[in-house]
């Protein structure tokens, strides 16, 4: 399908992007890699009147060691996250998750910030960042502010971003050694969104596609903290979730997948501890 007509604007700096957003108001949308927004526009699920292209805002493409955490610019491509030696060494969960996103074309165009800001509950990276207790730095006309991942995802495609604000950086704490982690997902084809997925970092467990946002599996985490076995903790994976039913899977099947995948992930993570 053909998207509705829109005005195109290109920014080359963060300040220019924020100025364009302030000028055009709530009808403007930021365009990063385009792997999430453009399909919605073609289906007419999204109809911004102004697109602000961030593709040339090179100051937002980086991966830096900041001592206790790794700072990742919001326009860093999935491919670069997946192949970062720093992340492969210090935060392998994030690098491995980025490598599992879509196909090579998507990974070379899509950006980590675009995936986070889009806030699709079926996306891989938001859940991994939730498990990693990441912090998102957003900038607006009044300056920058940090938002913990646990407070960022508000609802279906809804985040804590205010109108005109731009996600600029993702700060991911370095896990203490040894790094016990795992990423598991179940899908029909490698390029498909996960029917269900799970990201584990230590005793933090986050779920993909088990509600309107990425979720922490709090019942599993509490059980592990109380000394429960992996099997007993994984059996609680669907508690507190709100999985939907669609043409791909029923609610009951997704809940079954959550229990199976959480058990697999915890078992794999335990081998890395």
């Amino acid at each position: 399908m053909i998207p509705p007509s829109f005005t195109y604007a290109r920014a080359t700096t963060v300040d220019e992007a924020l100025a364009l957003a302030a000028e055009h108001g709530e009808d403007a949308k930021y365009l990063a890699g385009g792997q999430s927004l453009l399909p919605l526009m073609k289906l007419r699920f999204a109809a911004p009147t102004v697109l602000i292209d961030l593709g040339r805002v090179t100051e937002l493409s980086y991966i830096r060691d900041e001592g206790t955490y790794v700072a990742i610019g919001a326009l860093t491509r999935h491919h670069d996250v997946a192949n970062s030696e720093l992340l492969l060494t210090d935060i392998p969960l994030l690098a491995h998750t980025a490598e599992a996103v879509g196909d090579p074309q998507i990974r070379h165009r899509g950006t980590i910030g675009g995936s986070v800001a889009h806030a699709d509950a079926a996306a891989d990276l938001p859940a991994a960042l939730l498990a990693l207790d990441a912090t998102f730095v957003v900038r607006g006309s009044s300056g920058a502010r940090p938002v913990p991942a646990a407070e960022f995802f508000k609802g279906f495609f809804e985040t804590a971003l205010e109108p005109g604000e731009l996600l600029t950086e993702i700060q991911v704490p370095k896990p203490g050694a040894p790094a016990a982690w795992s990423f598991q997902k179940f899908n029909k084809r490698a390029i498909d969104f996960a029917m269900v997925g799970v990201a584990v970092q230590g005793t933090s467990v986050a779920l993909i596609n088990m509600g309107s946002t990425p979720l922490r599996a709090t019942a599993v985490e509490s059980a592990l903290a109380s000394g429960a076995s992996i099997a007993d903790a994984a059996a609680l994976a669907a508690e507190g979730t709100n999985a939907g039913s669609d043409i791909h899977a029923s609610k009951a099947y997704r809940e079954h997948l959550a229990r199976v995948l959480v058990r697999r992930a915890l078992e794999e993570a335990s081998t890395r501890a």
Side-chain angles (χ1 to χ4, degrees):
M1 294 181 65
I2 299 174
S5 61
F6 58 87
T7 299
Y8 174 83
R10 174 180 285 167
T12 57
T13 67
V14 171
D15 289 341
E16 186 178 352
L18 293 174
L20 286 167
E23 176 185 350
H24 295 290
E26 294 187 16
D27 290 332
K29 284 280 190 182
Y30 292 119
L31 175 67
Q35 302 303 294
S36 300
L37 178 58
L38 293 181
L40 289 183
M41 291 175 62
K42 289 181 179 180
L43 293 170
R44 303 209 171 197
F45 292 153
T49 59
V50 179
L51 278 187
I52 302 171
D53 188 351
L54 304 174
R56 295 192 180 182
V57 185
T58 55
E59 65 187 277
L60 294 184
S61 181
Y62 57 84
I63 301 173
R64 294 198 295 253
D65 189 337
E66 297 290 350
T68 59
Y69 68 92
V70 175
I72 306 171
L75 291 184
T76 305
R77 308 289 180 182
H78 303 320
H79 170 81
D80 297 325
V81 174
N83 290 278
S84 164
E85 290 297 330
L86 175 60
L87 292 175
L88 285 166
T89 300
D90 288 351
I91 312 176
L93 170 62
L94 186 56
H96 182 81
T97 303
E99 180 63 30
V101 173
D103 57 22
Q105 180 179 350
I106 290 172
R107 291 193 292 274
H108 278 83
R109 289 295 304 164
T111 65
I112 187 171
S115 179
V116 169
H118 186 58
D120 191 335
D124 300 334
L125 287 164
L129 292 165
L130 184 62
L132 286 160
D133 291 319
T135 295
F136 304 132
V137 179
V138 302
R139 277 182 59 184
S141 58
S142 59
R145 62 187 180 97
V147 182
E151 300 173 13
F152 187 80
F153 303 105
K154 297 297 187 181
F156 188 62
F157 296 129
E158 182 185 359
T159 71
L161 285 166
E162 299 292 338
E165 283 190 324
L166 176 64
L167 173 62
T168 58
E169 184 175 274
I170 297 160
Q171 299 176 348
V172 189
K174 294 181 182 179
W181 64 274
S182 178
F183 179 76
Q184 304 278 335
K185 68 177 178 178
F186 185 85
N187 47 16
K188 290 182 178 179
R189 302 174 300 168
I191 63 171
D192 291 339
F193 281 107
M195 289 185 192
V196 173
V198 58
V200 169
Q201 180 66 57
T203 57
S204 297
V205 183
L207 299 172
I208 300 168
N209 219 1
M210 288 297 291
S212 60
T213 68
L215 300 170
R216 288 286 286 267
T218 54
V220 175
E221 294 174 347
S222 295
L224 291 173
S226 299
S229 67
I230 286 176
D232 288 344
L236 305 174
E239 288 195 12
T241 66
N242 186 26
S245 295
D246 54 30
I247 60 173
H248 302 294
S250 67
K251 176 183 176 72
Y253 187 55
R254 283 196 166 92
E255 291 177 344
H256 166 72
L257 285 175
R259 291 187 285 268
V260 171
L261 293 177
V262 167
R263 179 168 182 168
R264 289 180 184 174
L266 291 173
E267 288 174 345
E268 182 177 60
S270 71
T271 67
R272 296 184 170 122

